[in-house]
Amino acid sequence: MLARDRKSSARGPGAVAAPARPATGATGVPDDASLLKMLYSMKLTRAIETRIERKLYRQGKIVGGVYVGRGQEAISVGAAMHMRRGGGEDHDDIVSPSHRDMAVFLMQGVPPERILAQYMGRRTGLTRGRDGNMHMGDLRHRLVAFVSHLGDSIPVAAGCALTFRMRGTDQVSFCFFGEGATSRGDWHEGLNFAAVLKLPVVFICNNNQYAYSTHVSRQMKVERVSDRARGYGMPGESQDGNDVRVVYEAVGRAVARARRGEGPTLLEFVTFRMTGHSAHDDAGYVPKALFEEWERKDPIRLFEDDLKGRGLLDAGALQAMESRIEAELDEAVAWAESQPYPDPEECLIGVYHEQA
Amino acid sequence: MALTTYVEAIKQGIWEEMERDDRVFILGEDVGVYGGAFKVTEGMLDRFGEMRVIDTPISESAIVGAAIGAALMGMRPIAEMQFIDFISCAFDQITNFAAKNRYRWGAGVPMVIRGPSGGGVHGGPYHSQNPEMYFVHTPGLKVVAPATAYDAKGLIKAAIRDEDPVIYLEHKYLYRRIKEEIPKEDYIVPIGQAAVRREGRDLTILTYGAMLYQALEAAETLAREPGIQTEVVDLRSLLPLDKDAILNAARKTGKVLVVHEDTRTGGIAGEIAAIINEEVFEYLDGPVLRVTAPDTPVPYSPPLEEFFLPNKEKILKAARQLAAY
Amino acid sequence: MSTVLRRSRKTPASRGEREPPPRGLLPDPPRPMQNPGLSRQQLREIHRFLCLNRLVEDRLSALYRQGQIHGGLYSSLGQEGISVGTAYALAPDDLLAPMIRNIGSLLVRGVAPLTLFLQFLARADAPTGGKDGTLHFDDLDKSIVGPISVLGTLIPVMTGAALAARMRGENRVALTYIGDGGTSTGDFHEGLNLAAVLNLPLILVVENNGYAYSTPTHRQFAVQSLAERGPAYGVASESIDGTDVLAVYAATRRAVERGRRGGGPTLLECRAFRRRGHAEHDDMRYVPKALLQAWEKRDPLDRLEGFLLHEGEATKKELRAAREEIGPALDEAARSALERPYPPPEETLRGVYHGTE
């Protein structure tokens, strides 16, 4: 039933189908396995992005720009835990991530090597070299590729949710964006549309306080992005974006609302962009004190401490996890670097259905 | 067969596709309760319900964006722009999201964006536009412009069934002025195919939309005086263009006149002239000429709009000039 | 949950007539009008502008029925209090950008009825020379910026105009209008957000008249009052009875003062009802009759006249005279406009660029 191109070429190694993940419990309290999974996902994301930004990019191995979500991993991870997948088109949720949501891709089953190949512009990257860095998607992983025109994805996410409503399922559409994107007309039109039609969308705002060099106080007059929710007649809340458990719980509630047919929610997670806008931006316009303050609130370190405190993690297990991640990453980088570039003539194919 | 107006034909085409395919639905302003500003969707709300005929807020960008999202999820949305002039509000969604999706990551967006285009109704600058070239210039889109009731129905069906985003331009001037007998059985008109409306050996007019009728009237006059036999070809599809039809036009008569209501610079006549020039230059017996609107916004006052719009007289003048080569 | 959303099989054929009035579209109980400190002369002047608004539109309607008007005609019947009350609260050099149902604001600003007739009749002497119709014209000498058909676009434009005024050290506020439907547009959002973050003196009058063409407000947005959107942008907002021209005036004055002292934008929701169709051709069968009846009782002109009589600010005779005075001048203007020539055809090509006028 999905109108997708079934003749697309093989996309390389890495399993596409993961076992069906059941819906998370309504209580909002993750079990131990989930907690460890969240930690692993955050650390894997951090490792990949660090490798890309601080090593591969500087070695000239990346094509185009690099946009990482350092310091913001809790948002993508805490939310992605609630995404239903593996159960087919009438069961699985759909996600419209933004450029700082690499964790969402990983947790939706995209193998790291495909992401790295994507960054390197290779034929076996997720978009076959058609677009770069985080501009990727794959409906088999229930990921809608965003466009650079931030804000555009909001009505699209609403449209996915509209389909779920029409079909009478309890699927949810997740939509990620930064605080800067909320200034766009498309953002407004999409939220209003979702609200008036009571669509099952969970709007997730990563308020990392800077849109390139524009501080949030120059982006909007309201204190909090979630203040905007009342203008649409939808619930909105603001939470600590550096606490993955808080994110998990808040998203879980919004997802439950949406599945019950109660409509959309606007969630704002306040965090901080620990890098420049992109790899080439040294963020000289950000007061150093802010970086220092937020470094102390690193979401990964905070979570590690929390898990250690609960007896779920010890130094040994952490070490093992880190080693595993590094090994996985080395293998993924090696694979990606070995991948061919697309043939030049591939430029002409895939514009239309007939040419796929 | 039944005598059907152009607007009724569009409505029938949409209605039949909605019956045939559960995935097809309509969204836009005033399409449901009101039946559409031009009544294209009248009666559909009662028949198909409010989940398939959706009255939206005034949000062209969200209308198109939501259609994209629904298409990605397997639906076949028809997004209505109340006047095609307002398609500019959704420019970004159309050109940067819908058009590029398949190319970028393999996910096609089967959707139709349709609306009334064109002038001659005292609509002024914002209710008379012909915006086709913004979209003809965007790879990944398809653009069609039917001129007959038969084609209106066949092309809307083809557009709905197409796997890629189609901009469907229905000329408002033709809505109730054009009537013809159309078959009751299911049929489509393939996208990318022109149609010869009148045969002739001396000169070819390539045109589309409401200008077809001006061209046909001119051809009729030319046949009597000065006895020129004019072939009139209705392009029907602007992206993709029927290149064979264009090349054959030059081969058959050696004299080609392109007529369009769109403004001159950047209008499709330039593209057609370039194609002919590149590929069948040797067949030409005279330059490719064009009759178009001037490079201005569509003016409101009747004498200004009359000056602006191409018409039979302007076509005759150019045709005689070309015939004299 | 989801089952309600499936195809509805029992919908009545003619929705508008048989549906009860949508919740929230009925008028609130009226509050007594109050004089916000206006002199008798000012009150009479406001009365005169309401009459002029009504009678100008009556003339236009008549011309439309005679087939003289090309294009559309959009009535502000029942909403004149909003156009007049808001414009009356501005200084002559404050920036004013009317929308399609704000003829009253132009009249307050001193635009002659003849000018409006020439525009609708597409004559050469119209401000646009026949290039565009209705109220799509500017008069920068009167600090008027005209609209285009695309809704919402005036908001970022007037934000920019207010910005320019501030850059030049001018203490001018910028006032424009948007309908309930227009608030759904992206430009509404971007414009208001920009005005808020730059703390500009933009007064955005949201005319909530219940319907955007055939779309009632509950299909347009999910809030009860559009004044809720003010805090969502960090701007001050109020919700006013739009049929009370004096309340509209008072609220606008508050907004003007706020703007002038650097307090930023105001969103002013003025509630009224669109008592005619979207345009002359629309019979608005989708509007429940009960709604129209309820709102007819809230006619802004009737309400003001009742107030003036009650307060002893005018007699019945004086009110009638005020109305009757207007007629002959309007007849003359209409007649004059009809006699004016159309623009010459070549005018089409002029004025696209600077230097081509």
Side-chain angles (χ1 to χ4, degrees):
Chain A
M1 194 143 148
L2 270 186
R4 68 177 174 230
D5 183 359
R6 292 184 188 280
K7 291 193 286 169
S8 48
S9 50
R11 293 183 183 267
V16 169
R21 187 196 305 148
T24 51
T27 60
V29 178
D31 58 24
D32 290 352
S34 297
L35 290 170
L36 288 169
K37 183 184 166 76
M38 290 200 285
L39 179 65
Y40 180 84
S41 302
M42 288 168 73
K43 290 178 76 71
L44 177 62
T45 304
R46 177 76 59 92
I48 296 175
E49 289 195 327
T50 301
R51 183 72 68 95
I52 290 173
E53 193 208 16
R54 292 189 174 164
K55 196 151 176 214
L56 298 169
Y57 180 78
R58 293 178 192 171
Q59 291 171 336
K61 293 182 175 172
I62 302 293
V63 179
V66 167
Y67 305 86
V68 299
R70 178 172 307 115
Q72 303 142 73
E73 298 91 344
I75 299 170
S76 316
V77 168
M81 289 296 289
H82 296 283
M83 293 166 192
R84 238 162 49 180
R85 41 186 289 259
E89 289 169 18
D90 284 331
H91 168 274
D92 293 351
D93 296 330
I94 192 79
V95 194
S96 301
S98 194
H99 50 297
R100 305 200 194 277
D101 297 305
M102 185 185 286
V104 169
F105 287 80
L106 296 166
M107 291 171 75
Q108 288 294 93
V110 178
E113 59 267 22
R114 300 293 308 285
I115 296 177
L116 286 156
Q118 161 81 1
Y119 266 90
M120 295 181 189
R122 305 302 167 98
R123 196 166 189 276
T124 34
L126 214 58
T127 67
R128 299 183 303 179
R130 297 309 174 79
D131 207 339
N133 50 66
M134 294 301 291
H135 295 80
M136 53 181 172
D138 191 325
L139 286 176
R140 291 169 302 179
H141 293 281
R142 308 299 287 175
L143 295 160
V144 176
F146 80 106
V147 295
S148 297
H149 301 63
L150 301 177
D152 280 17
S153 65
I154 281 83
V156 174
C160 295
L162 175 64
T163 305
F164 301 153
R165 235 200 98 169
M166 292 167 94
R167 292 184 184 150
T169 70
D170 66 345
Q171 293 160 279
V172 168
S173 178
F174 292 75
C175 186
F176 293 79
F177 46 87
E179 82 286 348
T182 71
S183 299
R184 285 255 356 258
D186 280 16
W187 187 85
H188 170 74
E189 294 198 9
L191 256 78
N192 187 55
F193 193 90
V196 85
L197 292 176
K198 230 172 173 186
L199 301 177
V201 193
V202 177
F203 292 111
I204 297 168
C205 179
N206 169 344
N207 181 353
N208 66 15
Q209 305 190 43
Y210 274 89
Y212 213 142
S213 71
T214 308
H215 185 255
V216 59
S217 60
R218 286 188 191 278
Q219 195 71 244
M220 60 193 82
K221 185 114 179 255
V222 283
E223 275 299 309
R224 287 272 158 264
V225 170
S226 59
D227 290 341
R228 295 209 184 285
R230 62 181 289 186
Y232 303 106
M234 78 169 75
E237 53 180 279
S238 237
Q239 301 284 1
D240 179 1
N242 282 31
D243 184 335
V244 70
R245 294 162 66 93
V246 165
V247 174
Y248 179 94
E249 192 269 337
V251 174
R253 271 186 290 111
V255 168
R257 279 196 69 238
R259 294 204 202 287
R260 288 194 303 264
E262 291 168 22
T265 308
L266 173 60
L267 294 175
E268 175 192 23
F269 294 108
V270 182
T271 178
F272 201 75
R273 198 190 72 201
M274 297 303 288
T275 60
H277 166 64
S278 62
H280 73 261
D281 171 31
D282 71 1
Y285 44 80
V286 177
K288 295 282 174 287
L290 275 177
F291 280 126
E292 287 155 18
E293 177 195 335
W294 283 88
E295 179 59 46
R296 291 193 283 277
K297 302 193 240 182
D298 183 84
I300 294 177
R301 204 179 47 250
L302 287 180
F303 195 42
E304 283 169 355
D305 292 345
D306 175 68
L307 293 180
K308 282 177 189 165
R310 289 162 195 272
L312 289 172
L313 191 69
D314 60 31
L318 189 54
Q319 178 67 38
M321 189 186 280
E322 286 168 359
S323 301
R324 196 171 120 219
I325 286 172
E326 283 306 302
E328 212 185 304
L329 190 45
D330 288 340
E331 210 181 295
V333 170
W335 182 86
E337 286 190 276
S338 76
Q339 294 302 295
Y341 284 97
D343 293 328
E345 297 75 36
E346 284 183 50
C347 173
L348 298 175
I349 59 172
V351 180
Y352 293 103
H353 173 70
E354 297 82 22
Q355 301 170 338
Chain B
M1 300 281 269
L3 194 61
T4 314
T5 61
Y6 179 91
V7 69
E8 181 62 31
I10 299 170
K11 179 174 167 183
Q12 275 181 26
I14 296 172
W15 195 297
E16 286 174 21
E17 292 303 295
M18 303 258 292
E19 295 279 9
R20 184 181 167 270
D21 185 348
D22 253 346
R23 302 172 299 171
V24 181
F25 74 99
I26 297 167
L27 69 169
E29 297 156 21
D30 306 291
V31 295
V33 169
Y34 198 68
F38 290 93
K39 305 301 176 194
V40 176
T41 54
E42 192 162 48
M44 293 190 188
L45 177 62
D46 286 346
R47 171 74 191 99
F48 298 107
E50 62 182 16
M51 270 292 103
R52 288 183 73 196
V53 184
I54 303 175
D55 274 329
T56 67
I58 303 178
S59 306
E60 281 73 15
S61 209
I63 289 166
V64 173
I68 294 168
L72 289 174
M73 295 293 96
M75 304 299 285
R76 297 245 158 194
I78 304 171
E80 177 176 303
M81 302 284 105
Q82 190 159 90
F83 282 83
I84 208 70
D85 311 56
F86 302 124
I87 200 172
S88 56
C89 302
F91 185 83
D92 193 19
Q93 292 280 357
I94 297 169
T95 58
N96 284 310
F97 217 119
K100 296 175 167 62
N101 247 22
R102 180 185 296 285
Y103 187 78
R104 291 170 53 237
W105 57 293
V109 179
M111 60 184 275
V112 176
I113 301 161
R114 49 160 287 272
S117 67
V121 297
H122 307 308
Y126 303 108
H127 293 79
S128 316
Q129 289 177 34
N130 291 297
E132 48 266 24
M133 295 312 284
Y134 301 127
F135 306 106
V136 170
H137 189 61
T138 304
L141 300 176
K142 297 186 179 174
V143 182
V144 299
T148 69
Y150 179 92
D151 287 350
K153 184 170 180 182
L155 275 173
I156 191 70
K157 280 166 165 281
I160 291 166
R161 298 183 199 182
D162 202 287
E163 297 296 332
D164 288 308
V166 180
I167 315 267
Y168 178 96
L169 303 168
E170 38 202 72
H171 204 294
K172 64 176 81 66
Y173 188 82
L174 302 180
Y175 271 155
R176 291 179 173 87
R177 288 184 175 83
I178 300 304
K179 274 200 247 282
E180 71 179 293
E181 298 277 349
I182 63 178
K184 292 204 167 92
E185 313 80 58
D186 183 51
Y187 69 92
I188 65 151
V189 168
I191 294 177
Q193 253 187 45
V196 177
R197 299 294 181 201
R198 185 190 170 108
E199 297 212 355
R201 305 223 50 87
D202 301 321
L203 182 147
T204 314
I205 296 178
L206 299 173
T207 187
Y208 63 95
M211 286 298 119
L212 172 65
Y213 300 93
Q214 298 294 314
L216 286 170
E217 281 183 33
E220 193 56 41
T221 302
L222 287 168
R224 291 194 304 272
E225 195 271 303
I228 299 166
Q229 300 307 322
T230 311
E231 178 128 321
V232 179
V233 178
D234 179 0
L235 291 169
R236 306 200 289 192
S237 185
L238 302 176
L239 177 71
L241 275 171
D242 185 342
K243 203 162 145 199
D244 288 336
I246 293 168
L247 300 180
N248 287 338
R251 290 189 191 113
K252 185 172 179 188
T253 68
K255 293 182 177 173
V256 179
L257 174 64
V258 187
V259 178
H260 59 59
E261 195 185 297
D262 193 6
T263 57
R264 195 168 195 76
T265 301
I268 208 155
E271 178 63 28
I272 291 172
I275 293 172
I276 292 176
N277 181 57
E278 282 166 351
E279 306 205 25
V280 284
F281 176 75
E282 322 71 66
Y283 287 86
L284 289 179
D285 295 324
V288 177
L289 293 185
R290 47 186 177 166
V291 177
T292 71
D295 290 333
T296 75
V298 186
Y300 165 65
S301 190
L304 300 185
E305 195 182 16
E306 206 184 297
F307 181 92
F308 175 89
L309 291 171
N311 58 29
K312 176 185 160 186
E313 278 63 46
K314 294 171 188 171
I315 298 171
L316 282 172
K317 180 159 175 231
R320 287 179 178 133
Q321 186 189 342
L322 185 53
Y325 266 85
Chain C
M1 176 213 20
S2 15
T3 47
V4 266
L5 316 168
R6 287 288 196 183
R7 173 185 311 196
S8 150
R9 295 180 197 286
K10 297 195 205 134
T11 49
S14 173
R15 290 180 164 270
E17 314 248 331
R18 292 177 224 175
E19 262 181 10
R23 185 178 51 84
L25 285 185
L26 286 165
D28 296 327
R31 296 220 215 110
M33 290 178 73
Q34 284 179 337
N35 184 349
L38 293 166
S39 69
R40 171 173 297 184
Q41 191 192 343
Q42 288 174 309
L43 290 169
R44 298 278 194 94
E45 211 178 10
I46 289 176
H47 173 256
R48 200 189 147 267
F49 281 126
L50 286 177
C51 293
L52 184 61
N53 192 166
R54 179 96 19 118
L55 293 174
V56 163
E57 294 200 17
D58 281 348
R59 286 297 178 292
L60 287 170
S61 210
L63 288 167
Y64 184 91
R65 285 192 302 274
Q66 291 162 22
Q68 297 285 0
I69 292 187
H70 311 281
L73 180 62
Y74 304 84
S75 164
S76 71
L77 182 67
Q79 302 174 223
E80 299 94 334
I82 301 171
S83 296
V84 170
T86 50
Y88 200 79
L90 300 177
D93 67 344
D94 283 328
L95 296 153
L96 172 68
M99 282 270 289
I100 203 68
R101 301 191 203 280
N102 302 115
I103 280 181
S105 72
L106 292 175
L107 296 169
V108 169
R109 194 38 81 88
V111 172
L114 174 63
T115 304
L116 297 173
F117 294 144
L118 289 169
Q119 263 295 112
F120 278 90
L121 295 171
R123 299 311 210 254
D125 291 339
T128 66
K131 303 264 183 63
D132 203 346
T134 71
L135 307 184
H136 293 186
F137 69 93
D138 295 51
D139 185 345
L140 292 178
D141 290 338
K142 293 190 166 70
S143 301
I144 296 170
V145 174
I148 64 170
S149 299
V150 184
L151 302 175
T153 48
L154 273 179
I155 300 168
V157 168
M158 295 315 282
T159 294
L163 176 63
R166 181 164 76 192
M167 286 168 144
R168 294 200 297 256
E170 299 162 4
N171 198 351
R172 298 158 86 182
V173 304
L175 184 145
T176 189
Y177 306 82
I178 190 74
D180 42 277
T183 67
S184 300
T185 64
D187 278 6
F188 164 87
H189 178 73
E190 295 198 12
L192 185 56
N193 187 56
L194 188 60
V197 87
L198 294 178
N199 205 45
L200 291 165
L202 175 76
I203 302 172
L204 182 55
V205 180
V206 177
E207 287 191 76
N208 185 346
N209 68 6
Y211 277 85
Y213 213 145
S214 73
T215 310
T217 49
H218 70 270
R219 287 187 192 282
Q220 193 70 239
F221 44 76
V223 285
Q224 285 305 305
S225 161
L226 287 165
E228 297 262 22
R229 292 204 160 156
Y233 292 87
V235 306
S237 67
E238 289 190 52
S239 187
I240 306 291
D241 177 354
T243 66
D244 178 348
V245 66
L246 301 180
V248 171
Y249 168 84
T252 309
R253 278 237 55 83
R254 287 193 287 277
V256 168
E257 274 146 31
R258 173 178 297 115
R260 290 210 207 290
R261 66 169 186 264
T266 305
L267 188 158
L268 216 55
E269 180 193 39
C270 295
R271 301 180 313 274
F273 198 75
R274 197 195 74 204
R275 282 163 49 193
R276 284 248 165 90
H278 168 66
E280 284 292 306
H281 68 265
D282 173 29
D283 68 8
M284 53 174 193
R285 67 186 62 182
Y286 45 83
V287 177
K289 298 282 176 282
L291 259 186
L292 284 165
Q293 283 154 8
W295 283 95
E296 265 154 30
K297 301 195 180 89
R298 299 287 283 270
D299 185 272
L301 183 50
D302 292 345
R303 287 192 72 189
L304 181 64
E305 289 190 342
F307 174 77
L308 294 176
L309 291 169
H310 185 263
E311 298 294 303
E313 299 287 4
T315 64
K316 277 199 187 156
K317 203 163 146 198
E318 285 167 335
L319 293 178
R320 194 170 48 239
R323 285 204 207 215
E324 283 166 6
E325 241 165 47
I326 296 172
L330 284 189
D331 289 338
E332 178 50 39
R335 192 171 34 243
S336 170
L338 282 166
E339 283 167 11
R340 301 285 184 96
Y342 280 103
E346 305 73 43
E347 181 66 26
T348 304
L349 299 174
R350 289 199 277 271
V352 180
Y353 291 103
H354 175 66
T356 66
E357 290 86 357

